[in-house]
Amino acid sequence: MTAKATGGRVTRRRAHTRANLLDAAFAVFAAKGFGRVSIEEVCEAAGYSRGAFYSNFDGLDQLFFALYEQRAALIAEQVAAALASDGPGPDVPAAVDRVTEVLLLDRDWLLVKTDFLVHAARDPEVARTLLEHRARLRRAIADRLARARGHTALPAVLGDVEGAAHAVVAAYDGVTTQLLLDRDVVRARDWLGQLLTALLTDGSTRH
């Protein structure tokens, strides 16, 4: 057996362990709250030792950011797929409809994310990291809006595409906060679509 083959198995095994830890952590965080979960509880839920945990993550903050990146990648894939049929001049209201139809609106994830937001608000270093993640999301949105701007004018009150990206994220945050309370995913999707259409157009083209 070659060293390369052995190394490949080790890498696959480690990736499998990491994925299981992330899945277990997500379930435990959603059930108990980020601030009420210990590393031992994550390990127990995943069926691994603390050694396995620390071979993949420095601590719960790093594990959370891995979860955040995982969900952010999923959302990016969903948005990209929804916009795949767009040409160089996308129809913004139609694109909004497609995006809101498929966008991840998972209440368990929103519970975990909200818990961590409160944690980050009390820890400047964690807050900086979370802000960097949110900034990357806004840049991706701004890039997409920049490609559409020549064909669908943005409302002047938003300023530029960066301002519009901030508004899109704020709308998502507001809708998902309501979803946490009323648990109405159908209403959340409809309301998000209305808000985004109003923000990114004159609001009169969505029926």
Side-chain angles (χ1 to χ4, degrees):
M1 182 179 297
T2 65
K4 182 177 180 180
T6 302
R9 280 212 305 270
V10 170
T11 300
R12 286 194 296 272
R13 184 166 64 245
R14 181 171 182 177
H16 182 69
T17 300
R18 180 183 175 88
N20 286 343
L21 284 166
L22 287 170
D23 288 345
F26 178 72
V28 176
F29 289 163
K32 299 186 66 174
F34 176 83
R36 298 182 177 88
V37 173
S38 67
I39 289 173
E40 288 76 10
E41 287 173 297
V42 172
C43 292
E44 181 179 355
Y48 292 116
S49 66
R50 285 174 62 90
F53 180 95
Y54 283 114
S55 70
N56 287 276
F57 304 105
D58 292 339
L60 292 177
D61 285 355
Q62 188 185 62
L63 185 150
F64 172 82
F65 282 121
L67 276 174
Y68 191 95
E69 288 172 351
Q70 186 183 70
R71 292 303 189 281
L74 175 59
I75 290 171
E77 289 172 6
Q78 291 174 328
V79 171
L83 299 177
S85 61
D86 282 343
D91 178 340
V92 171
V96 166
D97 281 342
R98 290 197 301 276
V99 168
T100 54
E101 183 179 350
V102 302
L103 189 64
L104 177 70
L105 289 174
D106 179 71
R107 191 170 180 274
D108 283 347
W109 168 240
L110 296 174
L111 284 169
V112 173
K113 188 175 73 167
T114 302
D115 279 343
F116 193 78
L117 177 63
V118 173
H119 169 62
R122 294 190 171 95
D123 186 322
E125 184 175 350
V126 177
R128 279 193 297 272
T129 304
L130 188 55
L131 285 170
E132 289 168 6
H133 280 269
R134 288 172 65 84
R136 285 203 293 272
L137 174 62
R138 288 196 304 271
R139 285 195 296 270
I141 294 170
D143 176 68
R144 185 63 202 176
L145 291 176
R147 283 182 277 160
R149 192 176 187 183
H151 305 270
T152 303
L154 294 172
V157 69
L158 296 178
D160 53 17
V161 291
E162 285 76 19
H166 273 275
V168 167
V169 173
Y172 177 81
D173 287 344
V175 167
T176 53
T177 297
Q178 182 67 25
L179 174 58
L180 281 173
L181 300 175
D182 65 20
R183 302 170 184 253
D184 190 342
V185 176
V186 173
R187 176 58 180 155
R189 290 193 189 283
D190 187 59
W191 185 228
L192 182 60
Q194 292 178 42
L195 282 176
L196 293 182
T197 300
L199 279 170
L200 301 178
T201 70
D202 63 6
S204 65
T205 54
R206 191 174 192 266
H207 304 287

